[in-house]
């Protein structure tokens, strides 16, 4: 299919993004895909994100506006999640509505709204303006299916266990469920956000998921019987997959300042498959005991390592760790993860199994060692190890700690063992399938085209 001509009459899509790095990346990448097909895109980001970002958002192709969620200086540790939910809905509904009205008054009306599913109130705002609307889910279909069953009362909580059966999914142990389900009393405010994704979902015109059909075939098929689902992922910059979007080398909005030159120069001096890359994303926080166990495993292992330790986590490192390991390791506060994962020196990825990191590793053919901490990470780790067979999930002790010996054993198996050889073969297979999905005429590319065509139909 051809692109839509980018004129004043072309659809003008407002993409409303949640102010978390792991949610920003996939929605920004989806926006680039829309633009590449002739759709005008306007991002709505919170004022706090605009203040925090270190890079400009595709200034030549995507327009950006800000709205207030009531937390213009960011969310503080003392702010309660329940208060955030209420205030962001109250303030956000008003300021986002004002943004839509402003574009209308400028003769540049919004014709469709795509919103992060964690902001269900955006759907109600869009419908007040009689706009077609799509909810964008940044987590896997499997995880969303679990939350839906809890929200509907189809999966009773607390879960009795030991195993759970959910349509479209393999049998799951309690430990395989998202943490807000398996440990139901934990983080009730965040659990509310997870379940509220489905509070008004029947009003949405489309549900967009950052995944691809072959990766989650059974659950996608089952959920398609309930809703107008379209898989539009993996939302990874084009250079790493189909290379059809010129200059698309990174996501384009960083809330943390990456050490690009330092990381890449260091990797360039390492041999092929000689480096263990370690990163736990933008939100996971580990205790000092856990940081010590990881540090010892890396220090005593036979591989180089590149470890991302955010500034807020640095104090938890063992004293003198950086100095004692400077010959074999590099510790940075943030890094260009896609460039790192695509580097020939990287042998495996020690990861929290967040959905973005999992997809990026699959797309770049890198086997994983999973240390899932909370939220959807435990379910993703289950699929990484047992369904896709591209990594190992480290066994955790009853006190919640992953020990040095277990970490070392998993690294050895993934990088040197027989299982590791099979994992690398599987990684390469999924890498090709991910590329096929976004190639011209691939399943995800076709779903984006179908979304555009059905959106055009609503405007006629």
């Amino acid at each position: 299919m051809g692109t839509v001509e980018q004129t004043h009459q072309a659809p003008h899509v407002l993409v409303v993004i949640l102010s978390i790095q792991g949610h920003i990346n996939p929605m920004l990448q989806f926006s680039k895909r829309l633009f590449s097909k002739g759709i005008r895109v306007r991002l709505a980001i919170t004022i706090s994100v605009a203040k925090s970002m270190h890079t400009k958002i595709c200034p030549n192709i995507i327009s950006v506006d800000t709205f207030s969620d009531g937390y213009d200086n960011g969310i503080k540790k003392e702010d309660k999640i329940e208060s955030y939910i209420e205030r962001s809905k109250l303030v956000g509904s008003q300021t986002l509505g004002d943004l839509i009205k402003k574009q209308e008054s400028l003769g540049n009306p919004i014709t469709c709204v795509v919103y992060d599913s964690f902001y269900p109130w955006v759907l109600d705002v869009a419908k007040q303006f009689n706009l077609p609307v799509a909810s964008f889910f940044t987590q896997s279909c499997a995880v969303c299916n679990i939350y839906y069953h809890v929200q509907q009362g189809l999966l009773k909580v607390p879960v009795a266990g030991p195993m759970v059966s959910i349509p479209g999914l393999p049998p799951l142990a309690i430990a395989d469920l998202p943490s807000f389900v398996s440990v139901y009393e934990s983080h009730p405010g965040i659990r509310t956000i997870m379940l509220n994704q489905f509070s008004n979902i029947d009003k949405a015109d489309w549900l967009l998921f950052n995944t691809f059909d072959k990766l989650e075939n059974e659950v996608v098929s089952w959920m398609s019987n309930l809703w107008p689902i379209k898989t539009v992922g993996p939302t990874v910059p084009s250079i790493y997959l189909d290379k059809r979007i010129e200059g698309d080398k990174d996501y384009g909005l960083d809330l943390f300042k990456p050490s690009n030159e330092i990381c890449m120069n260091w990797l360039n001096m390492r041999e092929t498959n000689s480096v263990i890359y370690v990163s736990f994303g933008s939100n996971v926080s580990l205790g000092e005991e856990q940081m010590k166990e990881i540090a010892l495993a890396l220090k005593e292992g036979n591989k180089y390592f590149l470890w991302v330790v955010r500034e807020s986590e640095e104090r938890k490192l063992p004293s003198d760790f950086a100095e004692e390991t400077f010959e074999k390791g590099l510790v940075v506060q943030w890094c260009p993860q896609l460039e790192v994962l695509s580097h020939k020196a990287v042998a495996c990825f020690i990861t929290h199994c967040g959905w973005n990191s999992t997809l990026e590793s699959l797309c770049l053919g890198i086997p994983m060692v999973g240390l899932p901490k909370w939220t959807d990470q435990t379910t993703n780790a289950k699929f990484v190890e047992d369904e896709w067979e591209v990594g190992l999930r480290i066994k955790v002790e009853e006190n919640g700690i992953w020990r040095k010996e277990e970490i070392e054993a998993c690294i050895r198996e993934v990088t040197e063992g027989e299982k590791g050889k099979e994992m690398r073969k599987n990684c390469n297979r999924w890498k090709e399938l991910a590329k096929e999905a976004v190639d011209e005429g691939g399943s995800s590319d076709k779903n984006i085209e179908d979304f555009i065509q059905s959106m055009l139909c609503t405007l006629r």
Side-chain angles (χ1 to χ4, degrees), residues 383-429:
F383 278 74
V384 163
E385 182 173 54
D386 296 333
E387 299 303 309
W388 306 320
E389 298 179 323
V390 291
L392 294 177
R393 177 179 177 179
I394 296 180
K395 294 177 182 177
V396 62
E397 292 189 349
E398 289 186 4
N399 62 359
I401 298 294
W402 298 286
R403 291 299 175 192
K404 173 183 79 74
E405 294 77 13
E406 183 69 19
I407 298 171
E408 288 177 326
C410 285
I411 292 173
R412 281 196 303 271
E413 185 60 52
V414 169
T415 59
E416 303 169 12
E418 290 302 313
K419 283 186 179 180
K421 293 178 183 177
E422 289 301 313
M423 288 173 196
R424 283 188 286 278
K425 290 180 183 178
N426 293 333
C427 282
N428 288 330
R429 181 171 66 89

Side-chain angles (χ1 to χ4, degrees), residues 173-424:
I174 291 181
D176 299 329
L177 299 171
S179 63
F180 307 128
V181 178
S182 61
V183 188
Y184 194 70
E185 66 275 9
S186 68
H187 302 93
I190 302 179
R191 184 178 66 248
T192 297
I193 293 176
M194 301 297 177
L195 301 185
N196 277 354
Q197 296 176 89
F198 303 96
S199 60
N200 57 358
I201 206 64
D202 290 333
K203 298 178 185 177
D205 297 280
W206 308 276
L207 273 63
L208 309 177
F209 282 87
N210 179 24
T211 188
F212 56 102
D213 289 356
K214 289 183 179 179
L215 188 65
E216 299 192 87
N217 185 48
E218 289 188 30
V219 67
V220 168
S221 178
W222 186 85
M223 293 175 75
S224 295
N225 293 321
L226 292 181
W227 302 299
I229 282 180
K230 296 192 181 298
T231 56
V232 296
T235 54
V236 170
S238 180
I239 193 173
Y240 299 102
L241 292 171
D242 59 309
K243 299 178 174 58
R244 288 193 293 146
I245 303 178
E246 186 177 353
D248 187 26
K249 298 180 180 179
D250 53 36
Y251 291 109
L253 195 166
D254 288 307
L255 299 183
F256 302 89
K257 189 173 183 179
S259 304
N260 293 42
E261 188 173 348
I262 294 172
C263 291
M264 302 318 295
N265 286 343
W266 186 85
L267 283 173
N268 289 338
M269 295 188 290
R270 311 299 160 204
E271 297 177 354
T272 300
N273 294 330
S274 65
V275 174
I276 307 301
Y277 171 55
V278 189
S279 177
F280 302 108
S282 58
N283 286 300
V284 169
S285 179
L286 301 175
E288 288 187 22
E289 183 179 4
Q290 185 62 79
M291 292 287 279
K292 179 181 178 181
E293 294 291 326
I294 296 170
L296 288 173
L298 297 174
K299 179 180 177 181
E300 297 175 12
N302 63 353
K303 297 279 187 183
Y304 294 106
F305 66 86
L306 169 56
W307 189 0
V308 176
V309 182
R310 301 190 313 275
E311 184 178 6
S312 59
E313 299 285 287
E314 285 182 327
R315 61 178 178 77
K316 301 175 185 177
L317 285 171
S319 60
D320 301 324
F321 173 74
E323 290 80 1
E324 291 173 356
T325 60
F326 77 94
E327 291 185 347
K328 68 179 301 185
L330 176 66
V331 178
V332 296
Q333 293 181 357
W334 201 245
C335 81
Q337 180 158 291
L338 289 162
E339 288 187 63
V340 169
L341 287 174
S342 63
H343 198 284
K344 64 181 179 63
V346 174
C348 84
F349 181 14
I350 299 182
T351 172
H352 62 311
C353 293
W355 187 235
N356 287 341
S357 290
T358 299
L359 283 178
E360 289 169 1
S361 204
L362 280 169
C363 291
L364 295 169
I366 302 298
M368 289 168 265
V369 173
L371 280 75
K373 179 71 173 176
W374 71 326
T375 185
D376 64 329
Q377 298 157 18
T378 44
T379 308
N380 297 338
K382 156 72 176 176
F383 278 74
V384 163
E385 182 173 54
D386 296 333
E387 299 303 309
W388 306 320
E389 298 179 323
V390 291
L392 294 177
R393 177 179 177 179
I394 296 180
K395 294 177 182 177
V396 62
E397 292 189 349
E398 289 186 4
N399 62 359
I401 298 294
W402 298 286
R403 291 299 175 192
K404 173 183 79 74
E405 294 77 13
E406 183 69 19
I407 298 171
E408 288 177 326
C410 285
I411 292 173
R412 281 196 303 271
E413 185 60 52
V414 169
T415 59
E416 303 169 12
E418 290 302 313
K419 283 186 179 180
K421 293 178 183 177
E422 289 301 313
M423 288 173 196
R424 283 188 286 278

